[in-house]
Amino acid sequence: MPRFRTLDDLDVARKRVLLRADLNVPVKDGQVSDATRIERLAPTIENLVGREARVVVMSHFGRPKGVDPTQSLRPIVPALSAAIGGRRVEFATDCIGPEAKKVVDALPPGGVALLENLRFHPEEEANDEGFAKALAELGDLYVDDAFSAAHRAHASIAALARLLPSAAGKNMQAELEALSAALESPQHPVMAMIGGSKISTKLDLLKFIIGKADRVAIGGAMANTFLAAQGRPIGRSLSEPDLLDTARQIMYAAADRGCSVILPDDAVTAEKLEPGAVTRTVGVTAVPMNAMILDVGPQTVARITAALADSKTLVWNGPIGAFETPPFERATVAIAKSVAELTKSGQLMSVAGGGDTVAALAMAGVTDDLTYVSTAGGAFLEWLEGRELPGVAALSIA
Ligand code: 3PG
Ligand code: MG
């Protein structure tokens, strides 16, 4: 794990602390519909406020092209305030320049302000040095607590970290510690569980993970391509016919590296992906021509569960079936519950991440029972690909 400073290493009293957060949260009808990222940020703000810092929160929101009132961070203020015990949060209508300076200058020790969407300035995504300097004028210290945006080499993440004394916030620190415990110095056997619909988006991840894990279970529609590569009938299942060779290469490479690959033995099939569809559970050698594989069957669940029970570390990304459409959530939910039980009994250290995976864990009611659940999507995936994240690199100290 790269070395980085933490909040404890900064003397923050009465200083202006620029806090890079990821407040890119889902909003429906003007209300925050999932406040997880805001709640995870709260301990860092409370730590800083408790030490009399003047806290200046900045974030991106959505992907606006220039100033776009529909992508303002202002509607997030009430949720941010609620997450920090109702403490007042000032709002600046721009993230740089006189508007921002006025709000920051008026901030008392222990005060909190939120700056408007960083991406209203195209210079943010361009990692522009001048823009980073304009941000740096608003702070004495820099804290990055946005692991979920650490895969973006943007000005508030990369360039700015080098202009001010910097440290990781508590959330960033927890993410980095959990991910390195799972991949850098894990207890073996290490199991990876990779699902989702496409191999094409997870090729680099699979290639990296087979060098780290002792076993990898593959689920979701991704598994269909592997089954087809082995000459299994997959009917009308979603698959990537162009990637059959790639799937075979991954299997060979895994064998070479001593990583066993667990593919489905049986499948829950249906003719249509719709709620309450008529299903047939069959062995993977007997998938009917007009059917689609939409979940793994009970034999496969049992095999995965047994592998989990024999593992010390789990990294999980991607659902095992079409979990958004009942009854195709069954395997994912059953497996999530096993992961939770094994973790609670101290037998398994479990790390999961990615939007769909987090939704599946919530559906199974076990979000709080895993060792660590990352709020990051893209950044979590890039970490699992073994890539250096710009936001992490920028915090690293020699
Ligand atoms: C996310 O929500 O995944 C992060 O905030 C990054 O957002 P982006 O994909 O728009 O850069
Ligand atoms: Mg994203």
Side-chain angles (χ1 to χ4, degrees), residues 22 24 37 60 62-63 119 148-149 151-152 377-378:
D22 186 352
N24 190 27
R37 282 183 176 171
H60 69 285
R63 291 176 178 172
R119 289 187 184 170
S148 47
H151 57 318
R152 305 294 183 213

Side-chain angles (χ1 to χ4, degrees), residues 37-81:
R37 282 183 176 171
I38 301 177
E39 285 155 13
R40 295 261 183 112
L41 174 71
T44 294
I45 299 183
E46 272 160 1
N47 175 294
L48 292 170
V49 159
R51 292 156 68 199
E52 302 252 284
R54 298 156 64 198
V55 185
V56 182
V57 183
M58 53 185 179
S59 176
H60 69 285
F61 183 77
R63 291 176 178 172
K65 298 274 164 272
V67 177
D68 174 355
T70 68
Q71 308 282 295
S72 172
L73 273 170
R74 194 193 279 275
I76 308 295
V77 168
L80 182 58
S81 167

Side-chain angles (χ1 to χ4, degrees), residues 50-368:
R51 292 156 68 199
E52 302 252 284
R54 298 156 64 198
V55 185
V56 182
V57 183
M58 53 185 179
S59 176
H60 69 285
F61 183 77
R63 291 176 178 172
K65 298 274 164 272
V67 177
D68 174 355
T70 68
Q71 308 282 295
S72 172
L73 273 170
R74 194 193 279 275
I76 308 295
V77 168
L80 182 58
S81 167
I84 52 175
R87 187 176 291 274
R88 197 180 156 78
V89 175
E90 307 298 337
F91 185 75
T93 54
D94 197 353
C95 61
I96 54 169
E99 272 307 312
K101 192 164 185 312
K102 202 169 68 192
V103 172
V104 172
D105 284 348
L107 211 57
V112 180
L114 173 63
L115 306 180
E116 182 58 286
N117 196 344
L118 291 159
R119 289 187 184 170
F120 283 1
H121 295 264
E123 294 86 352
E124 160 68 354
E125 289 177 67
N127 198 18
D128 182 86
E129 195 67 28
F131 180 69
K133 284 191 178 132
L135 289 171
E137 276 175 30
L138 301 170
D140 307 300
L141 301 167
Y142 172 78
V143 171
D144 187 355
D145 215 18
F147 176 79
S148 47
H151 57 318
R152 305 294 183 213
H154 295 174
S156 65
I157 294 166
L160 176 58
R162 298 192 167 91
L163 294 177
L164 295 173
S166 67
K170 285 176 171 297
N171 189 31
M172 172 72 92
Q173 186 185 350
E175 292 265 4
L176 293 177
E177 284 171 358
L179 294 179
S180 30
L183 283 184
E184 280 169 30
S185 46
Q187 277 195 286
H188 289 268
V190 176
M191 176 156 166
M193 205 153 51
I194 309 298
S197 50
K198 289 188 181 158
I199 300 188
S200 47
T201 57
K202 294 196 180 168
L203 271 181
D204 291 337
L205 186 161
L206 285 168
K207 286 179 190 159
F208 180 71
I209 217 81
I210 57 177
K212 291 280 174 186
D214 303 295
R215 51 181 69 118
V216 51
I218 297 177
M222 247 172 73
N224 301 337
T225 304
F226 281 92
L227 291 172
Q230 294 187 318
R232 307 281 194 215
I234 60 166
R236 293 190 298 110
S237 305
L238 194 62
S239 76
E240 290 166 285
D242 300 352
L243 294 180
L244 298 186
D245 270 340
T246 306
R248 279 181 214 113
Q249 280 157 17
I250 291 171
M251 300 287 287
Y252 294 138
D256 245 16
R257 311 202 60 166
C259 173
S260 54
V261 178
I262 303 174
L263 288 176
D265 299 313
D266 57 346
V268 179
T269 69
E271 285 181 26
K272 282 192 188 134
L273 174 57
E274 61 184 21
V278 178
T279 66
R280 262 182 76 189
T281 301
V282 295
V284 290
T285 54
V287 174
M289 263 180 48
N290 58 346
M292 290 183 288
I293 299 172
L294 295 168
D295 200 3
V296 304
Q299 278 179 39
T300 308
V301 172
R303 190 149 150 248
I304 290 178
T305 308
L308 286 167
D310 179 55
S311 299
K312 292 257 182 342
T313 304
L314 170 72
V315 178
W316 183 5
N317 173 262
I320 302 303
F323 79 106
E324 280 153 322
T325 310
F328 306 109
E329 80 290 4
R330 282 190 192 151
T332 303
V333 167
I335 289 166
K337 286 186 173 158
S338 300
V339 170
E341 284 314 311
L342 290 163
T343 307
K344 280 196 284 184
S345 67
Q347 296 177 64
L348 185 69
M349 129 90 189
S350 53
V351 175
D356 287 343
T357 316
V358 173
L361 291 170
M363 184 184 279
V366 298
T367 310
D368 297 335

